Every structure is written in C-alpha cells, then in structure tokens.
Coordinates of all heavy atoms in Angstrom, one line a residue:
S14 N 0.4 13.0 6.5 CA -0.2 13.2 5.2 C -0.5 14.7 5.1 O -0.9 15.4 6.1 CB -1.5 12.4 5.0 OG -2.5 12.7 6.0
A15 N -0.4 15.2 3.9 CA -0.8 16.6 3.7 C -1.9 16.7 2.7 O -1.8 16.0 1.6 CB 0.5 17.4 3.1
A16 N -2.9 17.4 3.0 CA -4.1 17.4 2.1 C -4.4 18.9 1.7 O -4.1 19.8 2.4 CB -5.4 16.9 2.9
S17 N -5.0 19.0 0.5 CA -5.4 20.3 0.1 C -6.6 20.2 -0.9 O -6.8 19.2 -1.6 CB -4.2 21.0 -0.7 OG -3.9 20.3 -1.9
D18 N -7.4 21.2 -0.8 CA -8.5 21.4 -1.7 C -8.0 22.1 -3.0 O -7.5 23.2 -2.8 CB -9.7 22.2 -1.1 CG -10.5 21.4 -0.1 OD1 -10.5 20.2 -0.2 OD2 -11.0 22.1 0.9
V19 N -8.0 21.4 -4.1 CA -7.5 22.0 -5.3 C -8.5 23.0 -5.9 O -8.2 24.0 -6.4 CB -7.1 20.9 -6.3 CG1 -6.7 21.5 -7.6 CG2 -6.1 20.0 -5.8
Y20 N -9.8 22.6 -5.7 CA -10.9 23.4 -6.2 C -12.1 23.1 -5.4 O -12.3 22.0 -5.1 CB -11.1 23.0 -7.7 CG -12.4 23.6 -8.3 CD1 -12.4 24.9 -8.8 CD2 -13.6 22.9 -8.3 CE1 -13.5 25.4 -9.4 CE2 -14.7 23.5 -8.8 CZ -14.7 24.7 -9.4 OH -15.8 25.3 -9.9
K21 N -12.8 24.1 -4.9 CA -14.0 23.8 -4.1 C -15.1 24.9 -4.4 O -14.8 26.1 -4.4 CB -13.7 23.7 -2.6 CG -14.9 23.3 -1.8 CD -14.5 23.0 -0.4 CE -14.0 24.1 0.4 NZ -13.8 23.8 1.9
R22 N -16.3 24.5 -4.5 CA -17.5 25.3 -4.5 C -18.5 24.8 -3.5 O -18.5 23.6 -3.2 CB -18.1 25.3 -5.9 CG -17.2 25.9 -7.0 CD -17.3 27.4 -6.9 NE -16.5 28.0 -8.0 CZ -15.5 28.8 -7.9 NH1 -15.1 29.1 -6.7 NH2 -14.9 29.3 -9.0
Q23 N -19.4 25.7 -3.1 CA -20.5 25.3 -2.2 C -21.8 26.0 -2.6 O -21.8 27.1 -3.2 CB -20.1 25.5 -0.7 CG -19.8 27.0 -0.4 CD -19.3 27.1 1.0 OE1 -18.5 26.2 1.5 NE2 -19.6 28.1 1.7
S24 N -22.9 25.4 -2.2 CA -24.2 25.9 -2.5 C -24.4 27.2 -1.6 O -23.7 27.4 -0.6 CB -25.3 24.9 -2.2 OG -25.3 24.6 -0.8
D25 N -25.3 28.0 -2.1 CA -25.6 29.3 -1.3 C -26.0 29.0 0.1 O -25.7 29.8 1.0 CB -26.7 30.1 -2.0 CG -26.3 30.6 -3.3 OD1 -25.0 30.8 -3.6 OD2 -27.1 31.0 -4.2
D26 N -26.7 27.9 0.4 CA -27.1 27.6 1.7 C -26.1 26.7 2.5 O -26.3 26.3 3.6 CB -28.5 26.9 1.8 CG -28.4 25.6 1.1 OD1 -27.3 25.1 0.6 OD2 -29.6 24.9 1.0
N27 N -24.9 26.5 1.9 CA -23.8 25.8 2.5 C -24.0 24.4 2.9 O -23.4 23.8 3.7 CB -23.3 26.6 3.8 CG -21.9 26.2 4.1 OD1 -21.1 25.9 3.3 ND2 -21.5 26.3 5.4
T28 N -25.1 23.7 2.2 CA -25.4 22.3 2.6 C -24.8 21.4 1.6 O -24.6 20.2 1.9 CB -26.9 22.1 2.5 OG1 -27.4 22.4 1.2 CG2 -27.6 22.9 3.6
T29 N -24.3 21.8 0.4 CA -23.6 21.0 -0.5 C -22.3 21.6 -1.0 O -22.2 22.8 -1.2 CB -24.5 20.8 -1.8 OG1 -25.7 20.3 -1.4 CG2 -23.8 19.9 -2.7
K30 N -21.2 20.8 -0.9 CA -19.9 21.2 -1.3 C -19.4 20.3 -2.4 O -19.6 19.1 -2.3 CB -18.9 21.3 -0.1 CG -19.3 22.2 0.9 CD -18.4 22.1 2.1 CE -19.0 23.1 3.2 NZ -18.3 22.9 4.5
I31 N -18.8 20.8 -3.4 CA -18.2 19.9 -4.5 C -16.8 20.5 -4.7 O -16.5 21.7 -4.6 CB -19.0 19.9 -5.7 CG1 -18.5 19.0 -6.7 CG2 -19.2 21.3 -6.3 CD1 -19.4 18.7 -7.9
G32 N -15.8 19.5 -4.9 CA -14.5 20.0 -5.2 C -13.6 18.8 -5.6 O -14.0 17.7 -5.7
I33 N -12.3 19.2 -5.8 CA -11.3 18.2 -6.1 C -10.3 18.4 -4.9 O -9.9 19.5 -4.6 CB -10.6 18.5 -7.4 CG1 -11.6 18.3 -8.5 CG2 -9.4 17.6 -7.6 CD1 -11.1 18.7 -9.9
W34 N -9.9 17.3 -4.4 CA -9.0 17.2 -3.1 C -7.9 16.3 -3.4 O -8.0 15.3 -4.1 CB -9.9 16.6 -2.1 CG -9.3 16.3 -0.7 CD1 -9.2 17.2 0.3 CD2 -8.8 15.1 -0.3 NE1 -8.7 16.5 1.4 CE2 -8.4 15.3 1.1 CE3 -8.6 13.8 -0.9 CZ2 -7.8 14.2 1.8 CZ3 -8.1 12.8 -0.2 CH2 -7.7 13.0 1.2
E35 N -6.7 16.6 -2.9 CA -5.5 15.8 -3.1 C -4.8 15.6 -1.7 O -4.8 16.5 -0.9 CB -4.6 16.5 -4.0 CG -3.4 15.7 -4.5 CD -2.6 16.4 -5.5 OE1 -2.1 17.5 -5.3 OE2 -2.4 15.8 -6.6
C36 N -4.2 14.4 -1.5 CA -3.6 14.1 -0.2 C -2.4 13.2 -0.5 O -2.5 12.2 -1.2 CB -4.6 13.5 0.7 SG -4.0 13.2 2.4
S37 N -1.3 13.5 0.2 CA -0.1 12.6 0.1 C -0.2 11.4 1.1 O -1.2 11.4 1.9 CB 1.1 13.4 0.4 OG 1.1 14.0 1.7
E38 N 0.7 10.6 1.0 CA 0.7 9.3 1.9 C 0.7 9.7 3.3 O 1.2 10.6 3.8 CB 2.1 8.6 1.6 CG 2.2 8.0 0.2 CD 2.7 9.0 -0.8 OE1 3.0 10.1 -0.4 OE2 2.8 8.6 -2.0
G39 N -0.1 8.8 4.1 CA -0.3 9.0 5.5 C -1.7 8.5 5.9 O -2.4 7.9 5.1
N40 N -2.0 8.7 7.2 CA -3.3 8.3 7.8 C -4.0 9.5 8.4 O -3.3 10.4 8.9 CB -3.1 7.3 8.9 CG -2.5 6.0 8.5 OD1 -1.6 6.0 7.6 ND2 -2.8 4.9 9.1
F41 N -5.3 9.5 8.4 CA -6.0 10.5 9.1 C -7.4 10.0 9.4 O -7.9 9.1 8.7 CB -6.1 11.9 8.3 CG -6.8 11.7 7.0 CD1 -8.2 12.0 6.9 CD2 -6.1 11.4 5.8 CE1 -8.8 11.9 5.7 CE2 -6.7 11.3 4.6 CZ -8.1 11.5 4.5
T42 N -8.1 10.5 10.4 CA -9.4 10.2 10.7 C -10.4 11.1 10.0 O -10.1 12.3 9.7 CB -9.7 10.2 12.2 OG1 -9.4 11.5 12.7 CG2 -8.9 9.2 12.9
A43 N -11.6 10.6 9.7 CA -12.6 11.4 9.0 C -13.9 11.2 9.8 O -14.3 10.1 10.2 CB -12.8 10.9 7.6
D44 N -14.7 12.2 9.9 CA -16.0 12.2 10.6 C -17.1 12.8 9.7 O -17.1 13.9 9.3 CB -15.8 13.1 11.8 CG -17.0 13.0 12.7 OD1 -18.1 12.7 12.2 OD2 -16.9 13.3 14.0
R45 N -18.0 11.9 9.3 CA -19.1 12.3 8.4 C -20.4 12.2 9.2 O -21.5 11.9 8.6 CB -19.1 11.5 7.1 CG -18.0 11.6 6.2 CD -18.1 12.9 5.5 NE -16.9 13.4 4.9 CZ -16.1 14.4 5.3 NH1 -16.5 15.1 6.3 NH2 -15.0 14.7 4.7
T46 N -20.4 12.6 10.5 CA -21.6 12.5 11.3 C -22.6 13.5 10.8 O -23.8 13.3 11.0 CB -21.3 12.7 12.8 OG1 -20.6 13.8 13.0 CG2 -20.5 11.4 13.3
A47 N -22.2 14.6 10.2 CA -23.1 15.7 9.9 C -23.5 15.7 8.4 O -24.4 16.4 8.0 CB -22.5 17.0 10.2
A48 N -22.8 14.9 7.6 CA -23.0 15.0 6.1 C -22.5 13.7 5.5 O -21.5 13.1 5.9 CB -22.3 16.2 5.5
A49 N -23.1 13.3 4.4 CA -22.7 12.2 3.5 C -21.6 12.7 2.5 O -21.6 13.9 2.2 CB -23.8 11.6 2.7
E50 N -20.7 11.8 2.1 CA -19.7 12.2 1.1 C -19.7 11.2 0.0 O -19.8 10.0 0.2 CB -18.3 12.3 1.7 CG -17.3 12.6 0.7 CD -15.9 12.8 1.3 OE1 -15.7 12.6 2.5 OE2 -15.0 13.2 0.5
F51 N -19.7 11.6 -1.2 CA -19.6 10.8 -2.4 C -18.2 11.1 -3.0 O -17.9 12.3 -3.3 CB -20.7 11.2 -3.4 CG -22.1 11.1 -2.8 CD1 -22.7 12.2 -2.2 CD2 -22.8 9.9 -2.9 CE1 -23.9 12.1 -1.6 CE2 -24.1 9.8 -2.3 CZ -24.6 10.9 -1.6
C52 N -17.4 10.1 -3.4 CA -16.1 10.3 -3.9 C -15.9 9.6 -5.2 O -16.3 8.4 -5.3 CB -15.0 9.8 -2.9 SG -15.1 10.4 -1.2
H53 N -15.1 10.2 -6.1 CA -14.6 9.5 -7.3 C -13.1 9.6 -7.3 O -12.6 10.7 -7.3 CB -15.3 10.1 -8.6 CG -14.7 9.4 -9.8 ND1 -14.4 10.1 -10.9 CD2 -14.5 8.1 -10.1 CE1 -14.0 9.3 -11.8 NE2 -14.0 8.1 -11.4
I54 N -12.4 8.5 -7.1 CA -11.0 8.5 -7.0 C -10.4 8.7 -8.5 O -10.7 7.9 -9.4 CB -10.4 7.2 -6.4 CG1 -11.0 6.9 -5.1 CG2 -8.9 7.3 -6.4 CD1 -10.8 8.0 -4.0
L55 N -9.7 9.8 -8.6 CA -9.1 10.2 -10.0 C -7.8 9.5 -10.2 O -7.6 9.1 -11.3 CB -9.0 11.7 -10.1 CG -10.3 12.5 -9.9 CD1 -10.0 14.0 -9.9 CD2 -11.3 12.1 -11.0
Y56 N -6.9 9.5 -9.1 CA -5.7 8.7 -9.2 C -5.2 8.4 -7.8 O -5.7 9.0 -6.8 CB -4.6 9.4 -10.0 CG -4.1 10.7 -9.6 CD1 -3.2 10.8 -8.5 CD2 -4.4 11.8 -10.3 CE1 -2.7 12.0 -8.1 CE2 -3.8 13.1 -9.9 CZ -3.0 13.1 -8.7 OH -2.5 14.3 -8.4
G57 N -4.3 7.5 -7.7 CA -3.7 7.1 -6.4 C -4.3 5.8 -5.9 O -5.1 5.1 -6.5
E58 N -3.9 5.5 -4.6 CA -4.3 4.3 -3.9 C -4.5 4.6 -2.5 O -3.6 5.2 -1.8 CB -3.3 3.2 -4.1 CG -3.6 1.9 -3.5 CD -2.5 0.9 -3.7 OE1 -1.8 0.9 -4.7 OE2 -2.4 0.0 -2.9
A59 N -5.6 4.1 -1.9 CA -6.0 4.4 -0.5 C -6.8 3.3 0.0 O -7.3 2.4 -0.8 CB -6.7 5.7 -0.4
S60 N -7.1 3.3 1.3 CA -8.0 2.4 1.9 C -8.8 3.1 3.0 O -8.2 4.1 3.6 CB -7.4 1.1 2.5 OG -6.3 1.4 3.4
V61 N -10.0 2.7 3.3 CA -10.8 3.3 4.4 C -11.3 2.2 5.2 O -11.5 1.1 4.7 CB -12.0 4.2 3.9 CG1 -11.5 5.4 3.2 CG2 -12.9 3.4 3.0
I62 N -11.4 2.5 6.5 CA -11.9 1.5 7.5 C -12.8 2.2 8.5 O -12.5 3.3 8.9 CB -10.8 0.7 8.1 CG1 -11.4 -0.6 8.9 CG2 -9.9 1.5 9.0 CD1 -10.3 -1.6 9.2
N63 N -13.9 1.6 8.9 CA -14.8 2.4 9.8 C -14.2 2.4 11.2 O -13.3 1.6 11.5 CB -16.2 1.9 9.8 CG -16.4 0.5 10.3 OD1 -15.7 0.0 11.2 ND2 -17.3 -0.3 9.7
H64 N -14.8 3.2 12.1 CA -14.3 3.4 13.4 C -14.3 2.1 14.3 O -13.5 1.9 15.2 CB -15.0 4.5 14.2 CG -16.4 4.1 14.6 ND1 -17.4 4.1 13.7 CD2 -16.9 3.7 15.8 CE1 -18.6 3.7 14.4 NE2 -18.2 3.5 15.6
A65 N -15.1 1.1 13.9 CA -15.2 -0.2 14.6 C -14.1 -1.1 14.2 O -13.9 -2.2 14.7 CB -16.6 -0.8 14.5
G66 N -13.3 -0.8 13.1 CA -12.3 -1.6 12.7 C -12.7 -2.6 11.6 O -12.0 -3.6 11.3
S67 N -13.9 -2.5 11.1 CA -14.4 -3.4 10.1 C -14.8 -2.7 8.8 O -14.7 -1.5 8.7 CB -15.6 -4.2 10.6 OG -16.7 -3.3 10.9
G68 N -15.1 -3.4 7.8 CA -15.6 -2.8 6.6 C -14.5 -2.1 5.8 O -14.7 -1.1 5.1
E69 N -13.3 -2.6 5.8 CA -12.2 -2.0 5.1 C -12.5 -2.1 3.6 O -12.9 -3.1 3.1 CB -10.8 -2.7 5.3 CG -9.7 -2.0 4.6 CD -8.3 -2.6 5.0 OE1 -8.3 -3.7 5.6 OE2 -7.3 -2.0 4.6
R70 N -12.1 -1.0 2.9 CA -12.3 -0.9 1.4 C -11.0 -0.3 0.8 O -10.6 0.7 1.2 CB -13.5 -0.1 1.1 CG -13.6 0.4 -0.3 CD -14.8 -0.3 -1.0 NE -14.8 0.0 -2.4 CZ -15.5 0.9 -3.0 NH1 -16.4 1.6 -2.3 NH2 -15.4 1.2 -4.3
K71 N -10.5 -1.0 -0.1 CA -9.3 -0.5 -0.9 C -9.8 0.3 -2.1 O -10.8 -0.1 -2.7 CB -8.4 -1.7 -1.3 CG -7.8 -2.4 -0.1 CD -6.8 -3.4 -0.6 CE -6.3 -4.2 0.6 NZ -5.6 -3.5 1.6
L72 N -9.2 1.4 -2.3 CA -9.6 2.3 -3.4 C -8.5 2.6 -4.4 O -7.3 2.8 -4.0 CB -10.0 3.7 -2.8 CG -11.1 3.6 -1.7 CD1 -11.2 4.9 -1.0 CD2 -12.4 3.3 -2.4
F73 N -8.8 2.6 -5.7 CA -7.9 2.8 -6.8 C -8.6 3.8 -7.8 O -9.8 4.1 -7.7 CB -7.6 1.5 -7.5 CG -7.0 0.4 -6.6 CD1 -7.9 -0.5 -6.0 CD2 -5.7 0.4 -6.3 CE1 -7.4 -1.5 -5.1 CE2 -5.2 -0.6 -5.5 CZ -6.0 -1.5 -4.9
A74 N -7.8 4.3 -8.7 CA -8.3 5.2 -9.7 C -9.5 4.7 -10.4 O -9.6 3.5 -10.7 CB -7.2 5.5 -10.8
G75 N -10.6 5.4 -10.5 CA -11.8 5.0 -11.1 C -12.9 4.5 -10.2 O -14.0 4.4 -10.5
D76 N -12.5 4.3 -8.9 CA -13.4 3.8 -7.9 C -14.3 4.9 -7.4 O -13.9 6.0 -7.4 CB -12.7 3.2 -6.7 CG -12.1 1.8 -7.0 OD1 -12.5 1.2 -8.0 OD2 -11.3 1.3 -6.1
L77 N -15.6 4.5 -7.1 CA -16.5 5.4 -6.4 C -16.7 4.9 -5.0 O -16.7 3.7 -4.7 CB -17.9 5.3 -7.2 CG -17.9 5.7 -8.6 CD1 -19.3 5.5 -9.2 CD2 -17.5 7.2 -8.8
L78 N -16.9 5.8 -4.1 CA -17.1 5.5 -2.7 C -18.2 6.4 -2.1 O -18.2 7.7 -2.4 CB -15.8 5.8 -1.9 CG -15.8 5.7 -0.4 CD1 -16.0 4.3 0.0 CD2 -14.5 6.3 0.2
V79 N -19.0 5.9 -1.3 CA -20.1 6.6 -0.6 C -19.9 6.4 0.9 O -19.8 5.3 1.4 CB -21.5 6.2 -1.0 CG1 -22.6 6.9 -0.1 CG2 -21.8 6.3 -2.5
L80 N -19.6 7.5 1.6 CA -19.5 7.5 3.0 C -20.8 8.1 3.5 O -21.1 9.3 3.4 CB -18.3 8.3 3.5 CG -17.0 7.8 3.0 CD1 -15.9 8.8 3.4 CD2 -16.7 6.4 3.5
P81 N -21.7 7.3 4.1 CA -23.1 7.8 4.4 C -23.0 8.7 5.6 O -22.0 8.7 6.4 CB -23.8 6.5 4.8 CG -22.8 5.5 5.1 CD -21.6 5.8 4.4
K82 N -24.0 9.5 5.7 CA -24.1 10.4 6.9 C -24.0 9.5 8.2 O -24.7 8.5 8.3 CB -25.4 11.2 6.9 CG -25.6 12.3 7.9 CD -26.8 13.1 7.7 CE -26.9 14.2 8.7 NZ -28.1 15.0 8.5
G83 N -23.2 9.9 9.1 CA -23.0 9.1 10.3 C -21.7 8.3 10.3 O -21.3 7.8 11.3
W84 N -21.0 8.2 9.1 CA -19.8 7.4 9.1 C -18.7 8.0 9.7 O -18.5 9.3 9.6 CB -19.5 7.1 7.6 CG -18.3 6.2 7.4 CD1 -18.4 4.8 7.3 CD2 -16.9 6.5 7.3 NE1 -17.2 4.3 7.1 CE2 -16.2 5.3 7.1 CE3 -16.2 7.7 7.3 CZ2 -14.9 5.2 6.9 CZ3 -14.9 7.7 7.1 CH2 -14.2 6.4 7.0
R85 N -17.9 7.3 10.4 CA -16.6 7.7 11.0 C -15.6 6.6 10.8 O -15.9 5.5 10.9 CB -16.8 8.0 12.5 CG -17.6 9.2 12.9 CD -17.7 9.4 14.4 NE -18.3 8.3 15.1 CZ -17.7 7.7 16.1 NH1 -16.6 8.1 16.6 NH2 -18.3 6.6 16.7
G86 N -14.4 7.0 10.5 CA -13.4 6.0 10.3 C -12.0 6.6 9.9 O -11.8 7.8 10.2
E87 N -11.1 5.8 9.4 CA -9.8 6.3 9.0 C -9.5 6.0 7.6 O -9.8 4.9 7.0 CB -8.8 5.5 9.9 CG -7.4 5.9 9.7 CD -6.4 5.3 10.7 OE1 -6.7 5.4 11.9 OE2 -5.4 4.8 10.3
W88 N -8.8 6.9 7.0 CA -8.3 6.8 5.6 C -6.8 6.5 5.8 O -6.1 7.1 6.6 CB -8.4 8.2 4.9 CG -9.7 8.5 4.3 CD1 -10.8 8.9 5.0 CD2 -10.1 8.4 3.0 NE1 -11.8 9.2 4.1 CE2 -11.4 8.9 2.9 CE3 -9.4 8.1 1.8 CZ2 -12.1 8.9 1.6 CZ3 -10.1 8.1 0.6 CH2 -11.4 8.6 0.5
T89 N -6.3 5.6 5.0 CA -4.9 5.4 4.8 C -4.5 5.7 3.3 O -5.1 5.0 2.4 CB -4.4 4.0 5.2 OG1 -4.8 3.8 6.5 CG2 -2.9 3.8 5.0
I90 N -3.7 6.6 3.1 CA -3.3 7.0 1.8 C -2.0 6.2 1.4 O -0.9 6.5 2.1 CB -3.1 8.5 1.6 CG1 -4.3 9.3 2.0 CG2 -2.7 8.8 0.1 CD1 -5.6 9.0 1.3
H91 N -2.0 5.3 0.5 CA -0.8 4.5 0.2 C 0.0 5.1 -0.9 O 1.3 5.0 -0.9 CB -1.2 3.1 -0.3 CG -2.1 2.4 0.7 ND1 -1.6 1.9 1.9 CD2 -3.4 2.1 0.7 CE1 -2.6 1.3 2.6 NE2 -3.8 1.5 1.9
E92 N -0.6 5.9 -1.8 CA 0.0 6.6 -2.9 C -0.9 7.8 -3.1 O -2.1 7.7 -3.1 CB 0.0 5.7 -4.1 CG 0.6 6.2 -5.4 CD 0.5 5.3 -6.6 OE1 0.9 4.1 -6.4 OE2 -0.1 5.7 -7.6
T93 N -0.2 9.0 -3.3 CA -1.0 10.2 -3.4 C -2.3 10.1 -4.1 O -2.3 9.5 -5.2 CB -0.1 11.3 -4.1 OG1 1.1 11.5 -3.3 CG2 -0.8 12.6 -4.2
V94 N -3.4 10.6 -3.5 CA -4.7 10.4 -4.1 C -5.2 11.8 -4.5 O -5.0 12.8 -3.8 CB -5.6 9.8 -3.0 CG1 -7.1 10.0 -3.4 CG2 -5.3 8.4 -2.8
K95 N -5.9 11.8 -5.6 CA -6.8 13.0 -6.0 C -8.2 12.4 -6.2 O -8.3 11.4 -6.8 CB -6.2 13.6 -7.2 CG -7.0 14.9 -7.6 CD -6.5 15.6 -8.9 CE -5.4 16.6 -8.5 NZ -5.0 17.4 -9.6
K96 N -9.1 13.1 -5.5 CA -10.5 12.7 -5.7 C -11.4 13.9 -6.0 O -11.2 15.0 -5.6 CB -11.0 12.0 -4.4 CG -11.1 12.9 -3.2 CD -11.7 12.2 -2.0 CE -11.9 13.1 -0.8 NZ -12.5 12.4 0.3
L97 N -12.5 13.6 -6.7 CA -13.6 14.5 -6.8 C -14.6 14.2 -5.7 O -14.9 13.0 -5.5 CB -14.3 14.3 -8.2 CG -15.6 15.0 -8.4 CD1 -15.5 16.5 -8.5 CD2 -16.3 14.5 -9.7
F98 N -15.0 15.1 -5.0 CA -16.0 14.9 -3.9 C -17.2 15.8 -3.9 O -17.2 16.9 -4.5 CB -15.2 15.1 -2.5 CG -14.9 16.5 -2.2 CD1 -15.8 17.3 -1.6 CD2 -13.7 17.0 -2.5 CE1 -15.5 18.6 -1.3 CE2 -13.3 18.4 -2.2 CZ -14.3 19.1 -1.6
I99 N -18.3 15.2 -3.4 CA -19.5 15.9 -3.1 C -19.9 15.6 -1.7 O -20.0 14.5 -1.3 CB -20.7 15.6 -4.0 CG1 -20.3 15.8 -5.5 CG2 -22.0 16.3 -3.6 CD1 -21.3 15.2 -6.5
I100 N -20.0 16.7 -0.9 CA -20.4 16.5 0.5 C -21.8 17.2 0.7 O -21.9 18.4 0.3 CB -19.4 17.1 1.5 CG1 -18.1 16.4 1.4 CG2 -20.0 17.0 3.0 CD1 -17.0 17.0 2.3
Q101 N -22.8 16.4 1.2 CA -24.1 16.9 1.3 C -24.7 16.7 2.7 O -24.7 15.5 3.1 CB -25.0 16.3 0.2 CG -26.4 17.0 0.2 CD -27.1 16.7 -1.1 OE1 -26.8 15.7 -1.8 NE2 -28.0 17.6 -1.4
G102 N -25.0 17.7 3.4 CA -25.5 17.6 4.7 C -27.0 17.8 4.9 O -27.7 18.2 4.0

C-alpha cells in the first residue's frame, strides 16, 4: 500500500494534528500508543482489526472511527481510501 498526507496541519505544541490522508490497496500496522486518532472516511473501503485479532470493523465512505490512545492493530485497504483525521496526544 502507498500512503500520503494530502494536507496536514499541527498545533504549535505539536500535540494535535489534522489532515487528509489517502492510501491505496494493501495492509499495514498502526500504533496509537502515544495518541488517539479520530477518522472520517471520505471514500473507499477498508477494515481495521486490533493486535489481538479481535474487534474487526469494516469502514466505508461516511463512517467515523475512533482509535483510542493505546490502540494497536492492522488496517487492510480494500479500495483506495481517503480520510480526514485528527490525532491528539
């Protein structure tokens, strides 16, 4: 999978980041041990599953997702995804 930040801004103290992110088909691991992430899926199709292999969630355009601080797991991008994200640590 190939990912890119289309647009990103961060707070002066670097604790909050907001942006638009896009990723093509594939799998990757994500680690939110240091910060929570709030996502709004703008288009595409994906699924996330936690590191223990449970709690799978399928995501489609219009869905909201919260990855709480401490979450670790894997994303599978089934169809190119674009999301609005806020990461706050």
Side-chain angles (χ1 to χ4, degrees):
S14 63
S17 65
D18 287 330
V19 177
Y20 171 86
K21 184 168 70 174
R22 295 282 186 238
Q23 60 191 33
S24 61
D25 291 339
D26 63 2
N27 201 30
T28 60
T29 303
K30 297 175 184 169
I31 185 170
I33 297 174
W34 174 92
E35 187 173 60
C36 187
S37 62
E38 293 83 1
N40 296 34
F41 64 91
T42 56
D44 186 336
R45 293 287 166 249
T46 54
E50 180 176 2
F51 306 88
C52 307
H53 178 221
I54 305 299
L55 301 173
Y56 64 73
E58 184 179 332
S60 56
V61 293
I62 191 163
N63 68 32
H64 73 282
S67 62
E69 183 175 11
R70 167 110 187 257
K71 295 187 184 299
L72 302 166
F73 303 94
D76 285 348
L77 299 174
L78 173 69
V79 176
L80 299 174
K82 187 174 183 177
W84 186 90
R85 292 182 299 129
E87 183 170 312
W88 282 77
T89 300
I90 308 298
H91 305 290
E92 179 183 305
T93 298
V94 165
K95 184 180 269 189
K96 70 178 182 177
L97 169 66
F98 68 88
I99 300 170
I100 297 175
Q101 188 163 23

